[in-house]
Amino acid sequence: MPSIIARLAIAIATTTALTMSSLAEERVVNVYNWSDYIDEAVLEDFTAETGIRVVYDVFDTNELLETKLLSGGSGYDVVVPSAEFLARQIQAGVFQPLDKAKLPNIANMWDKIEEKLEPYDPGNAYSVNYMWGTTGIGYNVEKVTERLGEEAPVDNWSLVFDPANMEKLADCGVHFLDAPSEMLPAALNYLGLNPGSTDQAELQQAADLLLSVRPHVQKFHSSEYVQALANGDICVAIGFSGDVFQSIAAADEADNGVTVAYSIPTQGTQLWFDQMAIPADAPNVEEAYEFLNFMMKPEPIATATNYVYYANGNKASQALLEEDLINDPTIYPDAETEAKLFTKLPYDQRTQRVVTRLWQRVTTGS
Ligand code: N2P
């Protein structure tokens, strides 16, 4: 019979061993992604397959994500900046280069999108595509027709950038994205100027245009419009493609008499790419690789696309997409639509300062 001391020692040893093994087993990945950008079932499947728990946080502007990344120690293992922002974050040393040997599912990716990413992340050395899309106009069909007639320019930037139209829409609510990197290029494009212009006078012209319609903008916000459009609280939003499609689906499902539609303005609009990357100081690097590799399997990313209505950069997933989604040229653009789309490179530091100052003026109206 062991002494009481010996028994106590055994008990302590057993408890310690148990605690240590459960600690060792608890694998976690901290993911920071855009809002309205995943089907939760995908995260559950990932945990079921790998045993890794996902701590999932969301943001709705690149600026918010960038602030966290540049101050360091964000605690995130996987983040999803747009390519334009990723490019300068790579320069700032924010990410670790990807070890492709740990990402065999990269073979499923779509060369067409990888090529488009070359200017931002040469050789796709630091990132893999999550999803991509366009920035366009979401609108309430009935309310806009009521105010601007059957001929309402719903597929033209003049709907939101011509003060005469905006004056008539103001009472039913218009939201603009709180994103200078989206709104200034759109305004420049409408003015017939280069959307990527870094010319101070031209950027000033774009800001002046935005200021001219600002009195009729209810809010600058980059995600509230999804619900607001769906329940009829607003009638127009400059928004991201899939987000507006989610409004369309939500209104449809609610059967609330609201009909929402999405348009890519005839003048053209921005095509953007959101990229998964691993911060240099990520606490759970192996788990981050497993997450990226899982998201590059055809099934999870197809499930996500079918749920959020954004196109993805995974070629193998296309056979698993809903027919009406892959055949919709405003989601997977056809040649004619593609010809109207432009991409944007990051601003240099000096231009970024000008843009930040102009945006401050646009949003505060001062
Ligand atoms: C998802 C928005 C992602 C688009 N809600 C921004 N690039």
Side-chain angles (χ1 to χ4, degrees), residues 34-37 62 82 182 225 240 243 246 272 274 310:
W34 293 82
S35 52
D36 302 308
Y37 223 19
N62 272 301
S82 300
E182 297 286 350
Y225 65 91
F240 301 123
D243 285 11
Q246 289 174 52
W272 43 256
D274 292 336
Y310 282 101

